[in-house]
Amino acid sequence: MIDLSWLNPFLAFSIGIFLAFNMRKVFARVQSRRGPLIWMPKAWHDINRTKVLQPLYDILKLLSKKTILPTTATPFFTIGPIIALVFALALTLFVPVAGLAFDYSFSLVVIFYLLIGVTMCIIIGGTASASLFAAIGGVREIELMLANEIPFILGTFALAITYDTLSVQAMMGPNLLSNPFAAAAFFIAMLVKLHVRPFDIAEADSEIVGGLTTEYSGKLLGILEITKVLMLFSLSALFVDLFLWAPKDWALPGLASWALFLAGAFVVSVLIGIVNALFARFRIDQATKWLFTVSTALGIIAIGWAVAWRFVL
């Protein structure tokens, strides 16, 4: 019998495309714009009938274009995005999709390492171009990663303390209600990992063009865009699994679990789009200070709350 968890990468990319479209739509509506149209006017049907798949069209366009390699680039410039994509694909295997995933007693730790692996590969690949913009973006990315990993780990390990396990599937439940501090710390960390405002400092287009991705083009840039889609899905799905899932005593049938998962992922993408539209970009010193103080404080409170919930209450 084939383990259906092997389908997760395909589901992650397919659903991630719709989440990316939803973020664009929400971003536009918050700014009182129409945004990409769900259904095009009849006069335009000979061109396209819908823009729902626009993120996919953008990726296909990039994959069809020629890749230009900077003369100063090392081989890591090419290797970095490819390995980052491999890490992102592996990540989707361990994040439950409607309860479907590889379940290990230490799956949470595996997810931590894979998320760090994606970021590190992009940093190594981008800085290998010897571009000044990529170098600045790389420094900013490292600073953000160091400041962000602490609250991210604290927020998720609070649930590990509550459930006495490192298995993501064993921790699934409505933990937003039982530990809202962990949910807040995780959500903020998710914004940082997805480079969503106010934490998009590492690729600030008005300052450093594109940061680490400045010198990428064609197929390599397409690979990076695929990685972004997979990261959007994986982190949104992980938030749904850890904080928005049904109680364990609810025996959800297949269709109900899929409906709950898709609805939760839709809500998370809406929240990300709203935050992205409402907030201005932090300076790097503001972002790191905020993460080391507010976000880390939320993580510490989440740990204390989990200890009290398990051993006192």
Side-chain angles (χ1 to χ4, degrees):
M1 189 69 178
I2 299 177
D3 192 338
L4 294 180
S5 299
W6 289 106
L7 297 176
N8 279 14
F10 303 100
L11 293 172
F13 182 71
S14 301
I15 300 174
I17 290 293
F18 290 100
L19 295 182
F21 166 81
N22 191 43
M23 281 182 56
R24 295 184 184 185
K25 189 69 174 180
V26 170
F27 184 85
R29 297 307 296 167
V30 171
Q31 296 181 339
S32 299
R33 296 184 291 110
R34 297 186 67 180
L37 299 178
I38 297 177
W39 189 251
M40 303 286 283
K42 187 175 181 181
W44 296 353
H45 282 187
D46 57 332
I47 302 174
N48 199 351
R49 292 179 179 270
T50 178
K51 288 294 183 179
V52 172
L53 297 178
Q54 188 60 47
L56 176 61
Y57 301 152
D58 295 340
I59 291 172
L60 293 176
K61 179 190 72 173
L62 290 171
L63 294 177
S64 67
K65 289 183 174 294
K66 179 181 178 181
T67 301
I68 300 174
L69 299 177
T71 56
T72 55
T74 69
F76 289 108
F77 180 78
T78 303
I79 297 172
I82 297 173
I83 301 180
L85 176 60
V86 172
F87 278 128
L89 289 170
L91 175 64
T92 62
L93 298 174
F94 294 92
V95 176
V97 180
L100 186 67
F102 290 152
D103 186 27
Y104 294 103
S105 58
F106 51 88
S107 57
L108 184 62
V109 178
V110 175
I111 289 174
F112 285 155
Y113 279 109
L114 290 174
L115 285 171
I116 293 174
V118 172
T119 303
M120 291 304 301
C121 287
I122 295 175
I123 292 173
I124 293 171
T127 53
S129 66
S131 166
L132 179 60
F133 296 124
I136 297 173
V139 171
R140 292 181 176 185
E141 185 67 47
I142 292 173
E143 292 180 5
L144 284 173
M145 184 178 69
L146 293 175
N148 187 52
E149 289 305 316
I150 297 173
F152 180 68
I153 292 174
L154 289 175
T156 48
F157 265 88
L159 301 185
I161 293 173
T162 301
Y163 291 94
D164 192 25
T165 180
L166 290 174
S167 169
V168 173
Q169 288 195 347
M171 291 188 287
M172 292 172 64
N175 297 304
L176 176 63
L177 301 177
S178 61
N179 198 334
F181 304 103
F186 184 97
F187 185 78
I188 294 170
M190 181 170 63
L191 298 179
V192 179
K193 290 181 178 294
L194 293 175
H195 298 150
V196 173
R197 275 192 289 266
F199 301 106
D200 63 336
I201 311 103
E203 54 183 36
D205 52 359
S206 60
E207 302 172 20
I208 51 175
V209 186
L212 289 166
T213 61
T214 299
E215 299 298 332
Y216 281 107
S217 61
K219 295 176 177 60
L220 289 178
L221 186 56
I223 289 174
L224 287 174
E225 290 299 319
I226 294 174
T227 303
K228 287 183 179 181
V229 169
L230 294 176
M231 287 286 285
L232 171 62
F233 169 84
S234 298
L235 289 168
S236 300
L238 190 58
F239 187 90
V240 174
D241 294 330
L242 294 179
F243 299 104
L244 301 179
W245 201 246
K248 293 188 178 298
D249 55 351
W250 289 16
L252 291 178
L255 289 178
S257 63
W258 272 103
L260 177 60
F261 177 81
L262 293 175
F266 175 82
V267 169
V268 172
S269 66
V270 168
L271 292 176
I272 295 174
I274 291 174
V275 172
N276 192 34
L278 291 181
F279 288 89
R281 182 183 304 124
F282 276 149
R283 297 195 313 266
I284 185 62
D285 60 313
Q286 293 174 326
T288 53
K289 181 180 179 180
W290 205 87
L291 290 171
F292 276 127
T293 53
V294 178
S295 194
T296 301
L298 285 172
I300 294 173
I301 295 172
I303 292 289
W305 186 273
V307 171
W309 184 274
R310 180 178 174 189
F311 297 105
V312 179
L313 300 179

